[in-house]
CSV table of all heavy atoms in Angstrom, one decimal:
chain,number,residue,atom,x,y,z
A,228,ASN,N,89.8,112.4,104.2
A,228,ASN,CA,90.7,113.3,103.5
A,228,ASN,C,90.4,113.4,102.0
A,228,ASN,O,90.9,114.3,101.4
A,228,ASN,CB,92.1,112.7,103.6
A,228,ASN,CG,92.6,112.9,105.1
A,228,ASN,OD1,92.2,113.8,105.8
A,228,ASN,ND2,93.5,112.0,105.5
A,229,SER,N,89.5,112.5,101.5
A,229,SER,CA,89.1,112.7,100.1
A,229,SER,C,87.6,113.0,100.0
A,229,SER,O,86.9,112.5,99.1
A,229,SER,CB,89.4,111.4,99.4
A,229,SER,OG,88.7,110.3,99.9
A,230,SER,N,87.1,113.7,101.0
A,230,SER,CA,85.6,113.9,101.1
A,230,SER,C,85.0,114.6,100.0
A,230,SER,O,83.8,114.6,99.8
A,230,SER,CB,85.3,114.7,102.4
A,230,SER,OG,86.1,115.8,102.5
A,231,TYR,N,85.8,115.3,99.1
A,231,TYR,CA,85.1,116.0,97.9
A,231,TYR,C,85.4,115.2,96.6
A,231,TYR,O,85.2,115.8,95.5
A,231,TYR,CB,85.7,117.4,97.9
A,231,TYR,CG,84.8,118.4,97.1
A,231,TYR,CD1,83.4,118.5,97.3
A,231,TYR,CD2,85.3,119.2,96.1
A,231,TYR,CE1,82.6,119.3,96.6
A,231,TYR,CE2,84.5,120.0,95.3
A,231,TYR,CZ,83.2,120.1,95.6
A,231,TYR,OH,82.3,121.0,94.9
A,232,LEU,N,85.9,114.0,96.7
A,232,LEU,CA,86.3,113.3,95.5
A,232,LEU,C,85.3,112.2,95.3
A,232,LEU,O,85.1,111.3,96.1
A,232,LEU,CB,87.7,112.6,95.8
A,232,LEU,CG,88.6,112.3,94.7
A,232,LEU,CD1,89.0,113.5,93.9
A,232,LEU,CD2,89.8,111.6,95.3
A,233,THR,N,84.6,112.3,94.1
A,233,THR,CA,83.7,111.2,93.7
A,233,THR,C,83.6,111.1,92.2
A,233,THR,O,83.8,112.1,91.5
A,233,THR,CB,82.3,111.3,94.4
A,233,THR,OG1,81.6,110.1,94.3
A,233,THR,CG2,81.5,112.4,93.8
A,234,GLY,N,83.2,109.9,91.7
A,234,GLY,CA,83.0,109.7,90.3
A,234,GLY,C,84.4,109.8,89.5
A,234,GLY,O,84.4,109.9,88.3
A,235,GLN,N,85.5,109.5,90.2
A,235,GLN,CA,86.8,109.7,89.6
A,235,GLN,C,87.4,108.3,89.2
A,235,GLN,O,87.2,107.3,89.9
A,235,GLN,CB,87.8,110.4,90.5
A,235,GLN,CG,87.3,111.8,90.8
A,235,GLN,CD,87.0,112.6,89.6
A,235,GLN,OE1,87.9,112.8,88.7
A,235,GLN,NE2,85.8,113.2,89.5
A,236,ILE,N,88.1,108.2,88.1
A,236,ILE,CA,88.8,107.1,87.7
A,236,ILE,C,90.3,107.5,87.8
A,236,ILE,O,90.8,108.2,87.0
A,236,ILE,CB,88.6,106.7,86.2
A,236,ILE,CG1,87.0,106.7,85.8
A,236,ILE,CG2,89.2,105.4,85.8
A,236,ILE,CD1,86.2,105.8,86.6
A,237,ILE,N,90.9,107.0,88.9
A,237,ILE,CA,92.3,107.5,89.2
A,237,ILE,C,93.3,106.5,88.7
A,237,ILE,O,93.3,105.4,89.1
A,237,ILE,CB,92.4,107.7,90.7
A,237,ILE,CG1,91.4,108.7,91.2
A,237,ILE,CG2,93.9,108.2,91.1
A,237,ILE,CD1,91.2,108.8,92.7
A,238,LYS,N,94.1,107.0,87.7
A,238,LYS,CA,95.2,106.1,87.2
A,238,LYS,C,96.3,106.0,88.1
A,238,LYS,O,96.9,107.0,88.5
A,238,LYS,CB,95.6,106.6,85.8
A,238,LYS,CG,94.6,106.4,84.7
A,238,LYS,CD,95.2,106.5,83.3
A,238,LYS,CE,95.6,107.9,82.9
A,238,LYS,NZ,96.4,108.0,81.7
A,239,LEU,N,96.7,104.7,88.5
A,239,LEU,CA,97.8,104.5,89.4
A,239,LEU,C,98.7,103.6,88.6
A,239,LEU,O,98.6,102.3,88.7
A,239,LEU,CB,97.4,103.9,90.7
A,239,LEU,CG,98.5,103.6,91.7
A,239,LEU,CD1,98.9,105.0,92.4
A,239,LEU,CD2,98.0,102.7,92.8
A,240,ASP,N,99.6,104.1,87.8
A,240,ASP,CA,100.3,103.3,86.8
A,240,ASP,C,101.8,103.6,86.6
A,240,ASP,O,102.4,103.0,85.6
A,240,ASP,CB,99.5,103.4,85.4
A,240,ASP,CG,99.6,104.8,84.8
A,240,ASP,OD1,100.2,105.7,85.4
A,240,ASP,OD2,99.1,104.9,83.7
A,241,GLY,N,102.3,104.4,87.4
A,241,GLY,CA,103.8,104.7,87.3
A,241,GLY,C,104.1,105.4,86.0
A,241,GLY,O,105.3,105.5,85.6
Side-chain angles (χ1 to χ4, degrees):
N228 291 332
S229 63
S230 53
Y231 200 52
L232 206 60
T233 195
Q235 300 306 304
I236 314 301
I237 301 167
K238 287 200 284 172
L239 184 72
D240 66 359

